[in-house]
Amino acid sequence: MSVICSICRKEIPEKQGRALKITAYITCDECHDAFVKKNADKDFASVIDQYETPVLVVDEDCRIVAANKLASQITGAGPSKRDLLGLFGGEAMGCKYADLPEGCGKTEHCVGCAIRKSISATIENNATQKNIPVTIKKEDGEVNVVISTEKIFSLVRINIKADVLPSKG
């Protein structure tokens, strides 16, 4: 397996095992130490608030564990990023299927959900997903966004790009 640092993109020497035609992205010791040093005085929320796009961080069940300010502004879940915590992605994004009795991620419609598929692929294969088009079906129409995902330890960071984003502020 080829192992590449997700920050500097240098190959990280393998400690053991055979080479496969798979590439895993992790952080090399040097980049990890630099990141920790740079952000030592910041909490996780402050770090993700620095992104220029809306960011959600979800666990393996697709529950939101963190969000930046821009994500709270575009989701409509509430005025504060704290209003997103604990919600499933579909609940936060206003997906009309999330309100069905089975709930977000459990309906027949969720099988084809591009967000859920991207999160699963990222968790299962350590595979970053880039520029995945997503159509969110809402009661009053559809919203089209583009997402990218990246695994961070056991969590997944989702960057959201929409046609119209609020200014950062």
Side-chain angles (χ1 to χ4, degrees):
M1 173 181 346
S2 175
V3 181
I4 309 241
C5 176
S6 62
I7 296 173
C8 69
R9 299 294 189 211
K10 292 181 186 172
E11 189 164 345
I12 300 170
E14 282 191 72
K15 294 185 172 75
Q16 62 184 12
R18 294 185 210 169
L20 297 174
K21 292 182 180 180
I22 298 173
T23 301
Y25 291 92
I26 61 173
T27 306
C28 68
D29 292 338
E30 185 177 308
C31 289
H32 176 269
D33 293 345
F35 179 83
V36 169
K37 183 177 180 181
K38 177 182 174 187
N39 295 292
D41 61 336
K42 299 175 185 164
D43 62 10
F44 187 65
S46 298
V47 172
I48 64 171
D49 274 340
Q50 294 176 28
Y51 282 90
E52 299 284 329
T53 60
V55 173
L56 298 172
V57 179
V58 299
D59 63 15
E60 64 278 353
D61 293 326
C62 299
R63 280 200 186 271
I64 298 170
V65 298
N68 69 358
K69 292 174 187 173
L70 288 173
S72 67
Q73 292 172 4
I74 71 157
T75 61
S80 167
K81 57 188 179 179
R82 288 185 167 215
D83 294 326
L84 296 171
L85 300 182
L87 295 178
F88 287 107
E91 293 171 329
M93 299 299 287
C95 175
K96 71 179 184 178
Y97 303 124
D99 291 332
L100 294 176
E102 300 94 324
C104 182
K106 311 265 187 313
T107 75
E108 63 187 41
H109 308 283
C110 302
V111 174
C113 177
I115 297 173
R116 188 165 285 278
K117 284 181 175 182
S118 296
I119 292 167
S120 293
T122 300
I123 289 172
E124 293 168 11
N125 305 318
N126 290 325
T128 298
Q129 305 291 302
K130 293 186 179 181
N131 301 318
I132 307 298
V134 175
T135 299
I136 301 165
K137 304 219 184 271
K138 296 182 165 245
E139 291 298 334
D140 58 351
E142 295 180 346
V143 174
N144 294 306
V145 297
V146 174
I147 65 164
S148 296
T149 62
E150 183 174 11
K151 190 169 182 182
I152 305 171
F153 304 108
S154 64
L155 303 173
V156 175
R157 184 189 76 224
I158 305 168
N159 287 50
I160 305 166
K161 296 177 190 170
D163 291 338
V164 179
L165 293 177
S167 61
K168 190 173 180 180

